[in-house]
Amino acid sequence: MAEESDFYRFTGTKGYIVSRPLVEAVNCAIALERPLLVKGEPGTGKTLLALHVAEGLGLPMESWHIKSTSKAMEGLYVYDTLQRLNDARFGEGNVGDIRSYIKLGPVGRVFSAPKRQLLLIDEVDKADLEFPNDILRELDEMRFTVMETGDEVVAKERPLVIITSNNEKELPDAFLRRCVFHFIEFPEPDMMRKIVDVHHPNVDTQLLDQVLIKFYWLRGQPDLRKKPSTSELIDWIAALLRSGISEDQLENHIPFLGSLLKNEQDTAALADFEERGGGMPSDWMDLGPKYNQ
Amino acid sequence: MFLDLFYGLRDEGVPVAVQEWQMFMTSLEKGLHDSNLLAFYNIAKATLIKSETYYDAFDRVFARVFHGVEGELSANDELNEWLSDPKNFDGLTEEQRKMIEELDADELMRRYLETLEEQDERHDGGGRWVGTGGHSPFGNGGEHPTGIRVGGKSKNQSAMKVAEDRRFQEYRTDHTLDIRNVRLALKRLRHLTREGPSDELDLDETVDETCRNAGEIEFVYRADRRNNVRLLLLMDVGGTMEPYYEPVSRLLTALHEERGLREFKSYYFHNCVYERLGTNADLYVKDAIPTGDILRRFDERWKVLIVGDAAMHPAELMNPRGNINPRFESETRGIDWLMRIREHFDRCVWLNPDPPSDWNHTRTTKVIGEIFPMYALSLDGIQDAVTSLVGARPSAPGITRH
């Protein structure tokens, strides 16, 4: 028992920085064999987490990206009636065998895999309000029946399920009850430095300081409709590095704003601010007590 | 002490059920907490709390329940058991097991408490409390020599500190009103029905029908799905509502942007509803229309949402000619108009921007709370209000907790 749980113990990987609470939540989900529900602002690396948990534990991964039109059934299997009809009309394929028209979805594939796998259900909140309830039983019991054939698909080893949500819709209570939950906080500057270091090692410390001061200042502006997130910061730094900009040029101006702000009004608001001669902070002290403990 | 956490959370209105509690207990049995208070805190949070909006409540309760945990520990059997039960510590070597047995319970507890206190500094694995001075079997995956990195700064390493930091305050929903959240709450205000002409191709049915028809194509059409909710907003403006103008106008914007509604109308009043309602927030008499007309024009299917603080002079509610605005006539008592609204429409709710704790201290609020189901103008309150407007159960009048 002890050896086995040690074997499936996630501790992080080289390319992904995790906070300790998140590590503990992941391990909790593994030990309890419950789905892990990860929420957080867009761009805080929810989907990446699954990728790296799979890598860290050496499990193959199957992703199910949810769209607004996704149906719970599609995750299990799809009965391709149209293909069968077509084959029947033109005398192709093995029309007599329904099984050859049953195509397993991501959940079905993970269940029927010979070994333990990781299933990522990405952005579960995109689907209809009822969607999470529809997959509840299947995820709980790790089995389902193909109605057309009566075959039962049972998971041989309980897969590890990671579910992400952008908080667009409220998830049903019954669904939440069964999950281990973690909310990814927006990283604090120190954590952010480590994250940046993974993507852009060897950034000049002073430049990075200026970059982060501007970034956190921008995030602190109450009027922004869409706050820039980690992934946007990484892109921005990439742009800055490629153009070879120095920290002095960052003093009172934010170049390549397009990589940080993705909203017309936000860009206009900042341009207004600069035109009015509004000063940007260039020191952590200017950002207020939150960053100077 | 553990149960204090459970009931403490429930008292704060955090939806924790036995199922979650069992999950938490199972994870403790499996030793996931590594006999470390911070890990204990993280695991309790991951298993018991299912929304970041309750993180703050959790932090408050955790800090309260486990504050000064040192003082109470010796008397606590639960924790004693937890510490001395070897089945939770499978990873111990024989040598370590012996060492534990040699220490008496008091000594063990003393060392454990020392470790807890030391946790303001870095805590790398829980090896210390058994006094082996290193190579802990409970690696917490800190700065592991194999290059595995875990973020988080040492200042956050104490569970007490993390809890007392209360960094999740801004995610609370019971008193913050963010326009996006409001819009989300209002999204529930829908009742989808299929009405109108059948002009949408129903692909699934078409395929099924075609199959049934032995392969001859058979098209099936159906009506579009539409939101069937008609919303009537009555809003108190001016006077005592002045401080709430901002949050209420946010709500209003959210409503206007919510084009999903089938129909939406808003009217305004000051303090209480009388003979006439304003068609805009300025309450000009010439634009006002008789309340009776509104009752005639809108049938009982309209959902009525009244926003107001319900706090006024009792005479404004209970006396004829109670209207403090002299330009508006008011022969009938305000309370009668409210009762008429209540009786005419199927579903009405009252949203009150005042904190619920004040409601019982204001006479008129109490009275109005008995006529309409009253909810706080907070995200939770709006959600409950929406549920009571479109939910399955008929709403019982009376002041609710939120």
Side-chain angles (χ1 to χ4, degrees):
Chain A
M1 163 73 212
E3 293 86 70
E4 200 199 347
S5 63
D6 276 349
F7 180 68
Y8 284 122
R9 204 152 230 230
F10 177 65
T11 43
T13 64
K14 261 199 153 139
Y16 188 75
I17 305 284
V18 278
S19 68
R20 214 184 126 171
L22 180 52
V23 169
E24 264 145 20
V26 171
N27 285 326
C28 207
I30 296 172
L32 296 175
E33 302 190 321
R34 297 279 187 168
L36 173 68
L37 172 66
V38 189
K39 264 209 245 177
E41 264 182 58
T44 40
K46 294 183 294 292
T47 310
L48 269 183
L49 169 75
L51 236 88
H52 286 275
V53 170
E55 190 194 316
L57 300 179
L59 300 177
M61 186 173 100
E62 189 80 55
S63 327
W64 183 13
H65 300 282
I66 307 298
K67 302 187 194 84
S68 61
T69 53
S70 290
K71 295 263 169 1
M73 199 69 171
E74 292 163 14
L76 308 178
Y77 69 94
V78 179
Y79 171 33
D80 196 346
T81 41
L82 220 50
Q83 182 67 47
R84 193 166 180 226
L85 178 63
N86 198 49
D87 285 358
R89 276 201 132 181
F90 300 103
E92 289 165 12
N94 187 7
V95 183
D97 182 19
I98 292 188
R99 282 186 183 81
S100 50
Y101 297 97
I102 303 275
K103 303 211 166 61
L104 289 179
V107 179
R109 288 199 292 273
V110 167
F111 282 9
S112 57
K115 289 193 79 174
R116 188 176 162 114
Q117 292 205 353
L118 190 147
L119 171 65
L120 165 70
I121 303 180
D122 207 10
E123 311 196 20
V124 72
D125 52 330
K126 281 231 163 59
D128 191 75
L129 287 169
E130 289 305 315
F131 176 86
N133 279 335
D134 295 347
I135 52 170
L136 208 61
R137 208 185 127 257
E138 283 74 15
L139 288 185
D140 227 19
E141 298 179 3
M142 294 287 171
R143 66 168 71 210
F144 64 89
T145 310
V146 180
M147 299 222 282
E148 282 76 5
T149 59
D151 292 350
E152 194 169 51
V153 180
V154 190
K156 288 172 195 69
E157 275 193 80
R158 270 185 97 88
L160 173 60
V161 183
I162 294 186
I163 302 167
T164 73
S165 163
N166 275 330
N167 224 356
E168 276 183 25
K169 286 196 192 88
E170 194 78 19
L171 298 170
D173 285 349
F175 181 79
L176 292 175
R177 287 251 137 89
R178 288 168 169 82
C179 298
V180 173
F181 173 78
H182 183 79
F183 178 77
I184 298 191
E185 259 181 283
F186 197 81
E188 287 173 23
D190 288 312
M191 180 88 163
M192 192 56 99
R193 271 177 228 272
K194 291 188 194 168
I195 296 173
V196 170
D197 189 52
V198 168
H199 297 270
H200 303 292
N202 314 321
V203 180
D204 179 67
T205 339
Q206 276 170 329
L207 177 67
L208 184 58
D209 247 342
Q210 277 307 315
V211 164
L212 288 180
I213 289 168
K214 294 291 182 303
F215 177 73
Y216 280 98
W217 171 78
L218 204 56
R219 275 186 59 86
Q221 297 310 302
D223 302 334
L224 283 196
R225 280 163 171 249
K226 160 84 181 78
K227 289 178 180 175
S229 66
T230 313
S231 58
E232 275 134 9
L233 174 70
I234 304 290
D235 289 349
W236 186 44
I237 295 177
L240 291 176
L241 288 179
R242 222 159 277 170
S243 67
I245 230 155
S246 73
E247 78 243 30
D248 306 340
Q249 285 165 283
L250 272 171
E251 189 82 20
N252 223 338
H253 177 63
I254 297 183
F256 307 113
L257 196 59
S259 53
L260 284 176
L261 299 182
K262 308 288 171 71
N263 186 305
E264 260 178 58
Q265 284 105 318
D266 288 351
T267 320
L270 196 76
D272 264 8
F273 178 80
E274 283 193 22
E275 223 163 77
R276 277 185 276 122
M280 293 175 193
S282 53
D283 192 281
W284 286 107
M285 293 311 283
D286 301 335
L287 285 181
K290 200 174 158 191
Y291 298 101
N292 295 295
Q293 279 167 2
Chain B
M1 180 184 285
F2 284 7
L3 283 176
D4 282 352
L5 179 65
F6 181 67
Y7 287 109
L9 287 171
R10 291 191 62 98
D11 285 348
E12 286 282 336
V14 181
V16 190
V18 178
Q19 202 174 353
E20 275 112 3
W21 191 249
Q22 272 175 347
M23 218 155 114
F24 174 47
M25 284 298 144
T26 316
S27 53
L28 289 186
E29 261 167 42
K30 287 182 186 258
L32 286 170
H33 50 80
D34 285 348
S35 69
N36 163 333
L37 192 59
L38 180 64
F40 176 78
Y41 164 84
N42 284 333
I43 281 163
K45 193 151 98 172
T47 49
L48 298 176
I49 309 299
K50 299 301 161 70
S51 166
E52 72 279 11
T53 53
Y54 295 117
Y55 273 7
D56 185 52
F58 176 80
D59 282 352
R60 273 180 289 139
V61 174
F62 191 91
R64 197 174 65 223
V65 172
F66 291 95
H67 184 72
V69 76
E70 298 89 345
E72 296 171 27
L73 267 187
S74 50
N76 191 284
D77 291 333
E78 253 171 330
L79 201 64
N80 250 324
E81 252 173 49
W82 164 35
L83 278 173
S84 53
D85 186 357
K87 93 170 181 220
N88 284 341
F89 305 114
D90 285 340
L92 292 181
T93 62
E94 272 315 304
E95 196 189 332
Q96 286 167 327
R97 222 179 279 276
K98 252 177 79 187
M99 203 172 289
I100 293 179
E101 277 160 17
E102 278 168 18
L103 297 168
D104 63 358
D106 287 348
E107 173 73 351
L108 193 66
M109 190 63 72
R110 196 180 60 75
R111 295 201 183 186
Y112 177 71
L113 293 178
E114 271 173 20
T115 322
L116 283 186
E117 277 163 15
E118 277 168 22
Q119 276 186 20
D120 279 359
E121 298 136 32
R122 255 214 104 71
H123 184 100
D124 288 318
R128 293 192 60 161
W129 69 273
V130 289
T132 56
H135 48 264
S136 147
F138 320 119
N140 71 357
E143 309 264 277
H144 203 270
T146 54
I148 289 162
R149 289 179 291 186
V150 174
K153 229 186 128 194
S154 52
K155 67 165 181 174
N156 289 334
Q157 294 291 309
S158 142
M160 251 17 251
K161 274 200 136 169
V162 174
E164 281 168 359
D165 262 2
R166 295 185 54 193
R167 279 168 304 154
F168 294 94
Q169 262 183 66
E170 53 196 274
Y171 294 109
R172 279 179 73 169
T173 52
D174 49 349
H175 70 154
T176 58
L177 204 57
D178 171 70
I179 187 152
R180 201 191 109 78
N181 288 340
V182 173
R183 211 175 298 157
L184 270 176
L186 290 169
K187 264 195 182 164
R188 291 191 175 177
L189 199 54
R190 60 174 199 177
H191 179 71
L192 295 175
T193 49
R194 291 192 184 279
E195 265 179 33
S198 302
D199 52 3
E200 191 187 80
L201 179 66
D202 187 340
L203 207 54
D204 290 344
E205 273 301 309
T206 299
V207 170
D208 281 359
E209 277 306 308
T210 305
C211 292
R212 267 183 218 124
N213 214 10
E216 289 301 317
I217 302 288
E218 182 77 42
F219 290 112
V220 181
Y221 292 93
R222 65 179 168 198
D224 224 3
R225 266 170 27 130
R226 284 203 191 102
N227 193 354
N228 205 20
V229 169
R230 301 166 166 90
L231 188 73
L232 176 63
L233 175 80
L234 304 179
M235 190 161 113
D236 185 354
V237 282
T240 41
M241 283 292 282
E242 202 66 54
Y244 308 111
Y245 184 72
E246 183 60 31
V248 173
S249 67
R250 278 177 170 210
L251 175 72
L252 199 63
T253 325
L255 277 175
H256 276 310
E257 286 179 9
E258 193 60 44
R259 290 192 195 87
L261 295 173
R262 179 163 175 153
E263 279 179 89
F264 172 66
K265 283 276 180 213
S266 57
Y267 296 97
Y268 305 87
F269 60 91
H270 186 190
N271 279 0
C272 192
V273 177
Y274 304 102
E275 264 80 346
R276 283 164 187 273
L277 283 166
T279 48
N280 55 43
D282 306 331
L283 290 179
Y284 285 131
V285 180
K286 66 174 170 57
D287 299 328
I289 61 164
T291 309
D293 276 7
I294 289 173
L295 292 182
R296 270 189 293 280
R297 201 183 304 164
F298 303 109
D299 63 23
E300 74 286 349
R301 287 175 303 171
W302 282 72
K303 320 277 184 198
V304 181
L305 182 64
I306 308 176
V307 183
D309 57 8
M312 59 195 95
H313 191 277
E316 289 178 63
L317 184 65
M318 300 305 218
N319 291 9
R321 285 178 295 281
N323 196 347
I324 56 163
N325 186 341
R327 289 172 296 173
F328 281 77
E329 76 248 64
S330 60
E331 286 301 318
T332 313
R333 299 188 304 163
I335 189 163
D336 291 331
W337 281 114
L338 294 181
M339 294 296 282
R340 276 180 207 175
I341 291 173
R342 164 77 206 165
E343 274 155 29
H344 178 77
F345 294 102
D346 217 17
R347 303 276 180 101
C348 312
V349 291
W350 189 293
L351 281 181
N352 194 333
D354 278 345
S357 50
D358 293 355
W359 296 355
N360 267 327
H361 304 304
T362 317
R363 263 178 69 192
T364 51
T365 312
K366 257 175 96 171
V367 172
I368 292 174
E370 278 159 20
I371 303 174
F372 298 102
M374 190 177 282
Y375 301 94
L377 189 65
S378 66
L379 194 54
D380 285 347
I382 292 174
Q383 273 177 1
D384 289 344
V386 166
T387 313
S388 128
L389 279 179
V390 296
R393 70 196 154 79
S395 48
I399 293 183
T400 59
R401 224 182 74 82
H402 285 291

